[in-house]
Coordinates of all heavy atoms in Angstrom, one line a residue:
M3 N 8.9 14.2 -3.3 CA 7.6 13.8 -3.6 C 6.8 15.2 -3.9 O 6.9 16.1 -3.1 CB 7.0 13.2 -2.3 CG 7.6 11.8 -1.9 SD 6.9 11.2 -0.6 CE 8.3 10.2 0.1
K4 N 6.0 15.2 -4.9 CA 5.4 16.4 -5.2 C 3.8 16.3 -5.1 O 3.1 16.7 -4.3 CB 5.7 16.9 -6.7 CG 7.1 17.1 -6.7 CD 7.6 17.5 -8.1 CE 9.0 17.7 -8.3 NZ 9.2 17.9 -9.8
H5 N 3.3 15.3 -6.1 CA 1.8 15.4 -6.2 C 1.4 13.9 -6.0 O 0.6 13.4 -6.6 CB 1.5 15.6 -7.6 CG 1.5 17.1 -7.8 ND1 0.3 18.0 -7.9 CD2 2.4 18.0 -8.0 CE1 0.7 19.2 -8.0 NE2 2.0 19.4 -8.1
L6 N 2.0 13.3 -5.1 CA 1.6 11.9 -4.8 C 0.3 11.9 -4.1 O 0.2 12.8 -3.2 CB 2.7 11.2 -4.0 CG 4.1 10.9 -4.7 CD1 5.1 10.3 -3.8 CD2 3.8 10.1 -6.0
S7 N -0.5 10.9 -4.3 CA -1.8 10.9 -3.5 C -1.5 10.4 -2.1 O -0.4 9.9 -1.8 CB -2.8 9.9 -4.3 OG -2.2 8.7 -4.2
T8 N -2.4 10.5 -1.3 CA -2.3 10.2 0.0 C -1.9 8.6 0.1 O -0.9 8.2 0.9 CB -3.6 10.3 0.8 OG1 -3.9 11.6 0.9 CG2 -3.5 9.6 2.3
F9 N -2.5 7.8 -0.9 CA -2.2 6.4 -0.9 C -0.8 6.1 -1.3 O -0.1 5.3 -0.6 CB -3.1 5.6 -1.8 CG -2.8 4.2 -1.8 CD1 -3.0 3.3 -0.8 CD2 -2.0 3.8 -3.0 CE1 -2.7 2.0 -0.9 CE2 -1.7 2.4 -3.1 CZ -2.0 1.6 -2.0
A10 N -0.3 6.9 -2.2 CA 1.1 6.7 -2.6 C 2.1 7.0 -1.7 O 3.0 6.3 -1.4 CB 1.3 7.5 -4.0
V11 N 1.8 8.1 -0.9 CA 2.5 8.5 0.1 C 2.6 7.4 1.2 O 3.6 7.1 1.8 CB 2.2 9.9 0.7 CG1 2.9 10.2 2.1 CG2 2.4 11.0 -0.3
A12 N 1.4 6.9 1.5 CA 1.3 5.9 2.6 C 2.1 4.7 2.2 O 2.8 4.1 3.0 CB -0.1 5.7 2.9
A13 N 1.9 4.3 0.9 CA 2.6 3.1 0.5 C 4.1 3.4 0.4 O 4.8 2.3 0.8 CB 2.0 2.7 -1.1
L14 N 4.6 4.6 0.0 CA 5.9 4.7 -0.1 C 6.6 4.7 1.4 O 7.5 4.1 1.7 CB 6.3 6.1 -0.6 CG 6.2 6.2 -2.2 CD1 6.2 7.5 -2.7 CD2 7.4 5.3 -2.8
L15 N 5.8 5.3 2.3 CA 6.2 5.3 3.8 C 6.2 3.9 4.2 O 7.3 3.5 4.9 CB 5.3 6.2 4.5 CG 5.5 7.7 4.2 CD1 4.5 8.5 5.0 CD2 6.8 8.2 4.5
S16 N 5.3 3.1 3.9 CA 5.3 1.8 4.5 C 6.4 1.0 3.9 O 7.0 0.0 4.6 CB 4.0 1.2 4.3 OG 3.6 1.1 3.0
V17 N 6.8 1.2 2.7 CA 7.8 0.5 2.1 C 9.2 1.0 2.7 O 10.0 0.1 3.1 CB 7.9 0.8 0.6 CG1 9.2 0.1 0.0 CG2 6.7 0.0 -0.1
A18 N 9.3 2.3 2.8 CA 10.6 2.7 3.3 C 10.7 2.7 4.8 O 11.9 2.4 5.2 CB 10.8 4.2 2.9
F19 N 9.7 2.7 5.5 CA 9.8 2.8 6.9 C 9.1 1.7 7.7 O 8.7 1.9 8.8 CB 9.3 4.2 7.4 CG 10.0 5.3 6.8 CD1 9.4 6.2 6.1 CD2 11.3 5.5 7.1 CE1 10.2 7.4 5.4 CE2 12.2 6.5 6.6 CZ 11.5 7.4 5.7
S20 N 8.8 0.6 6.9 CA 8.0 -0.4 7.6 C 8.7 -0.8 8.9 O 7.9 -1.3 9.9 CB 7.9 -1.5 6.6 OG 9.1 -2.2 6.4
A21 N 10.0 -0.8 9.0 CA 10.6 -1.2 10.3 C 10.5 0.0 11.3 O 10.5 -0.4 12.5 CB 12.0 -1.6 10.0
N22 N 10.3 1.2 10.9 CA 10.3 2.3 11.8 C 9.0 2.6 12.4 O 8.8 3.3 13.3 CB 11.0 3.5 11.1 CG 12.5 3.4 11.1 OD1 13.0 2.5 11.7 ND2 13.0 4.1 10.1
V23 N 8.0 2.3 11.6 CA 6.7 2.7 12.0 C 6.3 2.2 13.3 O 5.7 3.1 14.1 CB 5.7 2.2 10.9 CG1 4.2 2.4 11.6 CG2 5.8 2.9 9.6
A24 N 6.6 1.2 13.7 CA 6.3 0.5 15.0 C 7.0 1.4 16.1 O 6.3 1.7 17.1 CB 6.7 -1.0 15.1
A25 N 8.1 1.8 15.8 CA 8.8 2.6 16.8 C 8.2 4.0 16.9 O 8.1 4.7 17.9 CB 10.3 2.8 16.4
R26 N 7.9 4.5 15.7 CA 7.2 5.8 15.7 C 5.8 5.9 16.0 O 5.2 7.0 16.4 CB 7.3 6.4 14.2 CG 8.7 6.6 13.9 CD 8.7 7.3 12.5 NE 7.8 8.4 12.5 CZ 7.5 9.1 11.4 NH1 7.8 8.7 10.3 NH2 6.6 10.1 11.4
G27 N 5.2 4.7 15.9 CA 3.6 4.6 16.1 C 3.2 5.2 17.4 O 4.0 4.9 18.3
G28 N 2.1 5.7 17.4 CA 1.6 6.2 18.6 C 0.1 6.6 18.5 O -0.6 5.7 18.1
D29 N -0.3 7.7 18.9 CA -1.7 8.0 18.8 C -2.0 8.7 17.4 O -2.9 9.4 17.3 CB -2.1 9.0 19.8 CG -0.9 9.6 20.7 OD1 0.2 9.6 20.0 OD2 -1.1 10.0 21.8
N30 N -1.0 8.5 16.5 CA -1.1 9.1 15.1 C -1.0 8.1 14.0 O -0.1 7.9 13.3 CB 0.1 9.9 15.0 CG -0.1 11.2 14.1 OD1 -1.3 11.3 13.7 ND2 1.0 11.8 13.6
P31 N -2.2 7.4 13.8 CA -2.3 6.3 12.9 C -2.1 6.8 11.5 O -2.6 7.8 11.2 CB -3.6 5.7 13.2 CG -4.5 6.9 13.7 CD -3.5 7.8 14.4
P32 N -1.2 6.1 10.7 CA -1.0 6.5 9.4 C -2.3 6.2 8.5 O -3.1 5.3 8.9 CB 0.0 5.5 8.9 CG 0.0 4.4 9.8 CD -0.4 4.9 11.1
A33 N -2.5 7.1 7.5 CA -3.6 6.8 6.6 C -3.6 5.4 6.0 O -2.5 5.2 5.3 CB -3.7 7.9 5.6
K34 N -4.5 4.6 6.2 CA -4.6 3.3 5.7 C -5.7 3.2 4.6 O -6.8 3.4 5.0 CB -4.8 2.3 6.7 CG -3.5 2.1 7.5 CD -3.7 0.9 8.5 CE -2.4 0.8 9.4 NZ -2.7 -0.5 10.3
P35 N -5.4 3.0 3.3 CA -6.3 2.9 2.3 C -7.1 1.6 2.6 O -6.4 0.6 2.9 CB -5.6 3.0 1.0 CG -4.2 2.5 1.4 CD -4.0 3.0 2.9
D36 N -8.3 1.5 2.4 CA -9.1 0.4 2.5 C -8.9 -0.5 1.2 O -8.9 0.0 0.1 CB -10.7 0.6 2.7 CG -10.9 1.2 4.0 OD1 -10.2 0.9 4.9 OD2 -11.9 1.9 4.1
F37 N -8.7 -1.8 1.5 CA -8.6 -2.6 0.2 C -9.7 -2.4 -0.8 O -9.5 -2.3 -2.0 CB -8.6 -4.2 0.7 CG -8.4 -5.0 -0.5 CD1 -7.1 -5.5 -0.8 CD2 -9.5 -5.6 -1.1 CE1 -7.0 -6.3 -1.9 CE2 -9.3 -6.4 -2.1 CZ -8.0 -6.9 -2.5
S38 N -10.9 -2.3 -0.2 CA -12.1 -2.2 -1.1 C -12.2 -0.9 -1.8 O -12.8 -0.8 -2.9 CB -13.5 -2.4 -0.2 OG -13.4 -1.3 0.8
S39 N -11.6 0.1 -1.3 CA -11.6 1.5 -1.9 C -10.7 1.3 -3.2 O -10.7 2.2 -4.1 CB -11.2 2.5 -1.0 OG -9.8 2.5 -0.5
I40 N -9.6 0.5 -3.0 CA -8.6 0.4 -4.1 C -9.2 -0.5 -5.3 O -9.0 -0.3 -6.4 CB -7.3 -0.1 -3.7 CG1 -6.7 0.8 -2.6 CG2 -6.3 -0.2 -4.9 CD1 -5.5 0.3 -2.0
D41 N -9.9 -1.5 -4.8 CA -10.5 -2.6 -5.6 C -11.7 -2.1 -6.2 O -12.8 -2.4 -5.9 CB -10.6 -3.9 -4.8 CG -11.2 -5.0 -5.7 OD1 -11.0 -5.0 -6.9 OD2 -11.8 -5.9 -5.2
A42 N -11.4 -1.4 -7.4 CA -12.6 -0.6 -7.9 C -13.7 -1.6 -8.4 O -14.8 -1.2 -8.3 CB -12.1 0.4 -8.9
D43 N -13.4 -2.7 -9.1 CA -14.3 -3.4 -9.7 C -14.8 -4.6 -8.6 O -15.7 -5.3 -9.0 CB -13.9 -4.1 -11.0 CG -12.6 -4.9 -10.7 OD1 -12.4 -5.3 -9.6 OD2 -12.1 -5.5 -11.8
G44 N -14.2 -4.6 -7.5 CA -14.8 -5.5 -6.4 C -14.6 -6.9 -6.7 O -15.3 -7.7 -6.1
D45 N -13.6 -7.3 -7.6 CA -13.4 -8.6 -7.8 C -12.4 -9.4 -6.8 O -12.1 -10.6 -6.9 CB -12.7 -8.9 -9.2 CG -11.4 -8.4 -9.4 OD1 -10.9 -7.6 -8.5 OD2 -10.8 -8.6 -10.5
G46 N -12.0 -8.6 -5.8 CA -11.3 -9.3 -4.7 C -9.8 -9.1 -4.7 O -9.0 -9.5 -4.0
V47 N -9.2 -8.7 -6.0 CA -7.9 -8.6 -6.2 C -7.7 -7.1 -6.7 O -8.5 -6.5 -7.4 CB -7.3 -9.5 -7.0 CG1 -7.3 -11.0 -6.3 CG2 -8.0 -9.6 -8.4
I48 N -6.5 -6.6 -6.4 CA -6.1 -5.2 -7.1 C -5.2 -5.4 -8.2 O -4.0 -6.0 -8.0 CB -5.5 -4.4 -5.8 CG1 -6.3 -4.2 -4.8 CG2 -5.0 -3.0 -6.4 CD1 -5.8 -3.5 -3.6
S49 N -5.7 -4.9 -9.3 CA -4.7 -5.0 -10.5 C -3.9 -3.9 -10.4 O -4.1 -2.9 -9.8 CB -5.7 -5.0 -11.8 OG -6.4 -3.9 -11.9
L50 N -2.8 -3.9 -11.3 CA -1.9 -2.8 -11.4 C -2.7 -1.5 -12.0 O -2.5 -0.4 -11.5 CB -0.9 -3.0 -12.5 CG 0.1 -2.0 -12.7 CD1 0.8 -1.5 -11.3 CD2 1.2 -2.3 -13.7
A51 N -3.7 -1.8 -12.8 CA -4.5 -0.6 -13.3 C -5.2 0.0 -12.1 O -5.4 1.3 -12.1 CB -5.5 -1.1 -14.3
E52 N -5.9 -0.9 -11.2 CA -6.6 -0.3 -10.1 C -5.6 0.3 -9.2 O -5.9 1.5 -8.6 CB -7.4 -1.4 -9.4 CG -8.5 -2.0 -10.1 CD -9.1 -3.1 -9.6 OE1 -8.3 -3.9 -8.9 OE2 -10.4 -3.3 -9.8
F53 N -4.5 -0.2 -9.0 CA -3.5 0.3 -8.1 C -3.1 1.7 -8.6 O -2.8 2.6 -7.9 CB -2.3 -0.7 -8.0 CG -1.3 -0.2 -7.1 CD1 -1.5 -0.4 -5.7 CD2 -0.1 0.5 -7.3 CE1 -0.6 0.0 -4.6 CE2 0.8 0.9 -6.4 CZ 0.5 0.6 -5.1
S54 N -2.9 1.8 -10.1 CA -2.4 3.1 -10.5 C -3.5 4.2 -10.5 O -3.1 5.4 -10.4 CB -2.1 2.9 -12.2 OG -1.0 1.9 -12.2
E55 N -4.8 3.8 -10.1 CA -5.8 4.8 -10.1 C -5.6 5.5 -8.7 O -5.9 6.5 -8.5 CB -7.1 4.2 -10.1 CG -7.7 3.7 -11.6 CD -7.8 4.8 -12.4 OE1 -8.4 5.8 -12.1 OE2 -7.4 4.8 -13.6
S56 N -5.1 4.6 -7.8 CA -4.8 5.2 -6.5 C -3.4 5.9 -6.3 O -3.2 6.8 -5.6 CB -5.0 4.1 -5.4 OG -6.3 3.6 -5.5
A57 N -2.5 5.2 -7.0 CA -1.2 5.8 -7.0 C -0.8 6.4 -8.5 O -0.9 5.5 -9.3 CB -0.2 4.6 -6.7
P58 N -0.6 7.6 -8.6 CA -0.3 8.2 -9.9 C 0.8 7.4 -10.6 O 1.8 7.2 -9.8 CB 0.0 9.6 -9.6 CG 0.2 9.7 -8.1 CD -0.5 8.5 -7.5
P59 N 0.7 7.1 -11.8 CA 1.8 6.5 -12.5 C 3.0 7.3 -12.7 O 3.4 8.0 -13.7 CB 1.2 6.1 -13.9 CG 0.1 7.2 -14.1 CD -0.4 7.6 -12.6
H60 N 3.8 7.3 -11.6 CA 5.1 8.0 -11.7 C 6.3 7.1 -11.9 O 7.4 7.5 -11.9 CB 5.5 8.7 -10.3 CG 5.0 10.2 -10.4 ND1 5.2 11.1 -11.3 CD2 4.2 10.8 -9.3 CE1 4.7 12.2 -11.0 NE2 4.1 12.1 -9.9
G61 N 5.9 5.8 -12.3 CA 7.0 4.8 -12.3 C 7.0 4.1 -11.0 O 7.3 2.9 -10.8
D62 N 6.6 4.8 -10.0 CA 6.6 4.2 -8.5 C 5.5 3.3 -8.4 O 5.6 2.3 -7.5 CB 6.5 5.5 -7.5 CG 7.8 6.1 -7.4 OD1 8.9 5.5 -7.6 OD2 7.8 7.4 -7.0
A63 N 4.4 3.5 -9.0 CA 3.3 2.6 -8.9 C 3.7 1.1 -9.1 O 3.3 0.2 -8.4 CB 2.1 3.0 -9.9
Q64 N 4.5 0.9 -10.2 CA 4.8 -0.5 -10.5 C 5.8 -1.0 -9.5 O 5.6 -2.1 -9.0 CB 5.6 -0.4 -11.9 CG 6.2 -1.8 -12.3 CD 5.1 -2.7 -12.7 OE1 4.4 -2.6 -13.8 NE2 4.8 -3.9 -11.9
T65 N 6.6 -0.1 -9.1 CA 7.6 -0.5 -7.9 C 6.9 -0.9 -6.7 O 7.1 -2.0 -6.1 CB 8.5 0.6 -7.6 OG1 9.3 0.9 -8.9 CG2 9.6 0.1 -6.6
I66 N 5.9 -0.1 -6.3 CA 5.2 -0.4 -5.1 C 4.4 -1.5 -5.2 O 4.2 -2.4 -4.3 CB 4.4 0.9 -4.7 CG1 5.3 2.1 -4.4 CG2 3.6 0.6 -3.5 CD1 4.5 3.3 -4.3
F67 N 3.8 -1.6 -6.4 CA 2.9 -2.8 -6.8 C 3.7 -4.1 -6.6 O 3.2 -5.0 -5.9 CB 2.3 -2.5 -8.1 CG 1.3 -3.6 -8.5 CD1 -0.1 -3.4 -8.3 CD2 1.6 -5.0 -9.0 CE1 -1.0 -4.3 -8.6 CE2 0.6 -5.8 -9.4 CZ -0.7 -5.5 -9.1
D68 N 4.9 -4.1 -7.1 CA 5.6 -5.3 -7.0 C 6.1 -5.6 -5.6 O 6.2 -6.7 -5.2 CB 7.0 -5.2 -7.9 CG 6.6 -5.2 -9.4 OD1 5.5 -5.6 -9.7 OD2 7.5 -4.7 -10.2
E69 N 6.3 -4.5 -4.8 CA 6.7 -4.9 -3.4 C 5.5 -5.4 -2.7 O 5.7 -6.3 -1.7 CB 6.8 -3.4 -2.7 CG 8.1 -2.8 -3.1 CD 9.4 -3.2 -2.3 OE1 9.1 -4.0 -1.3 OE2 10.4 -3.1 -2.8
I70 N 4.2 -5.1 -3.0 CA 3.1 -5.6 -2.4 C 2.8 -7.0 -2.9 O 2.3 -7.9 -2.0 CB 1.8 -4.6 -2.4 CG1 2.3 -3.3 -1.9 CG2 0.7 -5.2 -1.7 CD1 1.3 -2.2 -2.0
D71 N 2.9 -7.1 -4.1 CA 2.6 -8.4 -4.9 C 3.7 -9.4 -4.6 O 4.5 -9.8 -5.5 CB 2.3 -8.1 -6.4 CG 1.9 -9.5 -7.1 OD1 1.4 -10.3 -6.5 OD2 2.2 -9.4 -8.4
T72 N 3.6 -10.0 -3.3 CA 4.7 -10.7 -3.1 C 4.9 -12.1 -3.8 O 6.0 -12.7 -4.0 CB 4.7 -11.2 -1.5 OG1 3.3 -11.6 -1.2 CG2 4.8 -9.9 -0.7
D73 N 3.8 -12.6 -4.3 CA 3.9 -13.8 -5.1 C 4.1 -13.5 -6.6 O 4.2 -14.5 -7.4 CB 2.7 -14.8 -4.8 CG 1.4 -14.3 -5.3 OD1 1.4 -13.1 -5.9 OD2 0.4 -14.9 -5.1
G74 N 4.0 -12.4 -7.0 CA 4.3 -11.9 -8.3 C 3.4 -12.2 -9.4 O 3.8 -12.5 -10.6
N75 N 2.1 -12.7 -9.0 CA 1.2 -12.9 -10.0 C 0.5 -11.8 -10.7 O -0.4 -12.0 -11.5 CB 0.1 -13.9 -9.3 CG -0.8 -13.2 -8.4 OD1 -0.6 -12.1 -8.0 ND2 -1.8 -14.0 -8.1
G76 N 0.9 -10.6 -10.3 CA 0.2 -9.5 -11.0 C -1.0 -9.0 -10.5 O -1.6 -7.9 -11.0
E77 N -1.4 -9.5 -9.3 CA -2.6 -8.9 -8.6 C -2.2 -9.0 -7.1 O -1.3 -9.7 -6.5 CB -3.8 -10.1 -8.8 CG -4.2 -10.1 -10.2 CD -5.2 -11.2 -10.4 OE1 -5.2 -12.2 -9.7 OE2 -6.1 -11.1 -11.3
I78 N -2.8 -8.0 -6.4 CA -2.7 -7.8 -5.1 C -3.9 -8.3 -4.4 O -5.0 -7.9 -4.6 CB -2.4 -6.4 -4.7 CG1 -1.0 -5.9 -5.3 CG2 -2.3 -6.3 -3.1 CD1 -0.8 -4.4 -5.1
S79 N -3.7 -9.4 -3.6 CA -4.8 -10.0 -2.8 C -4.9 -9.1 -1.5 O -4.0 -8.5 -1.1 CB -4.6 -11.4 -2.4 OG -3.5 -11.5 -1.6
E80 N -6.1 -9.3 -0.9 CA -6.2 -8.5 0.4 C -5.2 -9.1 1.4 O -4.7 -8.2 2.2 CB -7.7 -8.8 0.9 CG -8.0 -7.9 2.1 CD -9.5 -7.9 2.4 OE1 -10.2 -8.9 1.8 OE2 -9.8 -7.3 3.3
Q81 N -5.0 -10.3 1.4 CA -3.8 -10.7 2.3 C -2.5 -10.2 1.9 O -1.7 -9.8 2.9 CB -3.7 -12.1 2.2 CG -2.7 -12.9 3.2 CD -2.6 -14.4 3.0 OE1 -3.2 -15.0 2.1 NE2 -1.9 -15.1 4.0
E82 N -2.1 -10.1 0.7 CA -0.9 -9.5 0.4 C -0.9 -8.0 0.8 O 0.2 -7.5 1.5 CB -0.6 -9.6 -1.1 CG -0.2 -10.9 -1.5 CD -0.1 -11.1 -3.1 OE1 -0.8 -10.3 -3.7 OE2 0.6 -11.9 -3.5
L83 N -1.9 -7.4 0.6 CA -2.0 -5.9 1.0 C -1.9 -5.8 2.6 O -1.1 -4.9 3.2 CB -3.3 -5.2 0.6 CG -3.3 -3.8 0.9 CD1 -2.4 -3.0 0.1 CD2 -4.7 -3.2 0.7
S84 N -2.6 -6.7 3.2 CA -2.6 -6.5 4.8 C -1.2 -7.0 5.3 O -0.7 -6.3 6.2 CB -3.7 -7.4 5.3 OG -3.5 -8.7 5.1
E85 N -0.6 -7.9 4.6 CA 0.6 -8.3 5.1 C 1.7 -7.3 4.8 O 2.8 -7.4 5.5 CB 1.1 -9.7 4.4 CG 0.2 -10.8 5.0 CD 0.7 -12.2 4.5 OE1 1.4 -12.2 3.4 OE2 0.3 -13.1 4.9
H86 N 1.6 -6.6 3.8 CA 2.5 -5.5 3.4 C 2.6 -4.4 4.3 O 3.6 -3.9 4.7 CB 2.2 -4.9 2.1 CG 3.0 -3.8 1.6 ND1 4.4 -4.0 1.3 CD2 2.8 -2.5 1.6 CE1 4.9 -2.8 1.0 NE2 4.0 -1.9 1.3
K87 N 1.5 -4.1 5.0 CA 1.3 -3.0 6.0 C 2.1 -3.4 7.2 O 2.3 -4.5 7.5 CB -0.2 -2.9 6.4 CG -1.0 -2.2 5.3 CD -2.5 -2.3 5.9 CE -3.4 -1.7 4.7 NZ -4.8 -1.8 5.2
P88 N 2.8 -2.4 7.7 CA 3.5 -2.7 8.9 C 2.6 -3.2 10.0 O 1.5 -2.7 10.1 CB 4.0 -1.3 9.3 CG 3.4 -0.3 8.4 CD 2.9 -1.0 7.3
P89 N 3.1 -4.3 10.7 CA 2.3 -4.9 11.7 C 2.1 -3.8 12.8 O 2.8 -3.0 13.2 CB 3.1 -6.0 12.2 CG 4.5 -5.6 11.8 CD 4.4 -5.0 10.5
R90 N 0.8 -3.9 13.1 CA 0.3 -3.0 14.1 C 0.4 -3.5 15.5 O -0.4 -4.5 15.7 CB -1.2 -2.5 13.7 CG -1.7 -1.3 14.6 CD -3.0 -0.9 14.0 NE -3.5 0.3 14.7 CZ -4.5 0.9 14.2 NH1 -5.3 0.5 13.3 NH2 -4.9 2.1 14.9
R91 N 1.3 -2.9 16.3 CA 1.4 -3.5 17.5 C 0.5 -2.9 18.5 O 0.4 -1.7 18.7 CB 2.9 -3.3 18.0 CG 3.9 -4.0 17.0 CD 5.2 -3.9 17.7 NE 6.2 -4.7 16.7 CZ 7.5 -4.7 17.0 NH1 8.1 -4.1 18.0 NH2 8.2 -5.4 16.1
A92 N -0.1 -3.7 19.4 CA -1.0 -3.2 20.3 C -0.2 -2.8 21.6 O -0.5 -3.3 22.7 CB -2.0 -4.3 20.8
R93 N 0.7 -1.8 21.4 CA 1.5 -1.5 22.4 C 2.0 -2.5 23.3 O 1.7 -2.7 24.5 CB 0.7 -0.4 23.3 CG 0.4 0.7 22.2 CD 0.1 2.0 23.1 NE -1.3 1.8 24.0 CZ -1.4 2.7 24.9 NH1 -0.5 3.6 25.3 NH2 -2.6 2.5 25.5
Ligands
CA22 CA1 -10.2 -5.6 -8.8
CA23 CA1 -0.2 -11.6 -5.8

């Protein structure tokens, strides 16, 4: 990873380590991008273009986008994004 944005790193980490985050979690919350900060036009869904604005198009953006877009309709809903994030356990 060279020039990935904070969001791309967070997304990659949550994809790769979603199972491990709970075990690692502690007083060190991972950077969580706000849905509204990614949804640039505020229409309530994140398009690949909007996603790419947050995640540099390294080819990974599409991969990560597909990971999050669980129903494959080409848009990430707030629910899809929230469900993609590793569940936050209240200890
Ligand atoms: Ca949007
Ligand atoms: Ca979707």
Side-chain angles (χ1 to χ4, degrees):
M3 297 179 208
K4 297 175 186 174
H5 282 253
L6 297 178
S7 70
T8 300
F9 174 76
V11 172
L14 282 169
L15 288 177
S16 58
V17 170
F19 297 118
S20 58
N22 286 340
V23 168
R26 295 185 50 193
D29 13 22
N30 202 14
K34 290 187 177 180
D36 289 335
F37 182 90
S38 58
S39 71
I40 306 173
D41 180 20
D43 64 8
D45 66 353
V47 293
I48 298 171
S49 64
L50 179 59
E52 286 170 337
F53 187 80
S54 296
E55 290 293 317
S56 298
H60 268 314
D62 286 329
Q64 178 73 67
T65 301
I66 298 168
F67 188 91
D68 289 345
E69 287 278 344
I70 301 174
D71 180 22
T72 51
D73 67 3
N75 70 346
E77 296 172 332
I78 295 174
S79 66
E80 187 167 6
Q81 183 180 7
E82 285 172 336
L83 186 67
S84 65
E85 287 180 351
H86 174 74
K87 291 175 183 172
R90 192 170 182 175
R91 297 189 180 178
R93 297 201 294 161

